Amino acid sequence: MSEARGQGKGSGGAGEGRRVGRRLAEWVSVALSAALILGLAVFLVYEGLTGSRGSVVPEVRALPDRAEQHGDVWVLPVRVKNQGRQMLGDLGVELRYTPPGAPQPERVEATIDYLGKRSEQEVYFYVPGDPRGMSIEARALHFQVK
């Protein structure tokens, strides 16, 4: 046994090298862990300060330049964008248009069952004449945040 102890003492340089390497590895892992935790904390604070508060009202826009005639009717696309961070459900879309010579605007509605966060969808409405010559207004009526 005394020989084994003597051999350990004789190779003390190798043992010291292992300890220094182990200490270095410990410091590197502590530094990486601290950097990851600090990065996560900064990200969470940033998101908390700049994140949207509440819901964003969806953007609804009629696209009369993309309307197409099909027989006696025109198909008018309406783009609906959800720029919020939450999914919207049961989104009601209203289109009001005034045909030339009509005393009052006509009104039609459509419902989008599901509109994902930061996404868009097009809804198509039938109108009796060329929508490029009409006064057109599209808007969101109601929605649920899911």
Side-chain angles (χ1 to χ4, degrees):
M1 260 201 190
S2 62
E3 290 177 22
R5 285 185 197 159
Q7 287 178 353
K9 287 182 183 178
S11 61
E16 268 309 303
R18 282 190 213 141
R19 280 189 220 144
V20 170
R22 195 175 299 156
R23 284 185 190 151
L24 179 63
E26 288 173 355
W27 279 110
V28 168
S29 66
V30 166
L32 285 174
S33 298
L36 286 173
I37 291 171
L38 180 63
L40 179 62
V42 168
F43 172 76
L44 291 174
V45 168
Y46 174 78
E47 283 297 310
L49 294 175
T50 62
S52 62
R53 304 264 194 274
S55 301
V56 175
V57 176
E59 177 186 326
V60 181
R61 191 177 69 178
L63 304 170
D65 293 337
R66 291 193 35 222
E68 295 179 6
Q69 186 174 10
H70 293 276
D72 294 341
V73 296
W74 286 75
V75 177
L76 173 64
V78 174
R79 180 171 294 140
V80 183
K81 284 186 182 181
N82 175 12
Q83 296 179 353
R85 295 181 175 193
Q86 296 174 317
M87 186 209 63
L88 302 179
D90 300 323
L91 170 58
V93 178
E94 176 188 63
L95 177 71
R96 287 180 183 244
Y97 60 92
T98 306
Q104 294 184 17
E106 296 187 30
R107 178 180 172 273
V108 289
E109 289 183 29
T111 301
I112 299 174
D113 293 329
Y114 168 87
L115 187 60
K117 60 184 177 178
R118 295 185 178 168
S119 66
E120 65 182 55
Q121 184 173 341
E122 287 188 3
V123 182
Y124 298 89
F125 291 94
Y126 290 117
V127 292
D130 187 351
R132 291 173 285 207
M134 297 182 190
S135 170
I136 298 173
E137 178 187 341
R139 67 183 183 120
L141 291 175
H142 55 79
F143 59 90
Q144 293 180 357
V145 177
K146 296 189 175 197

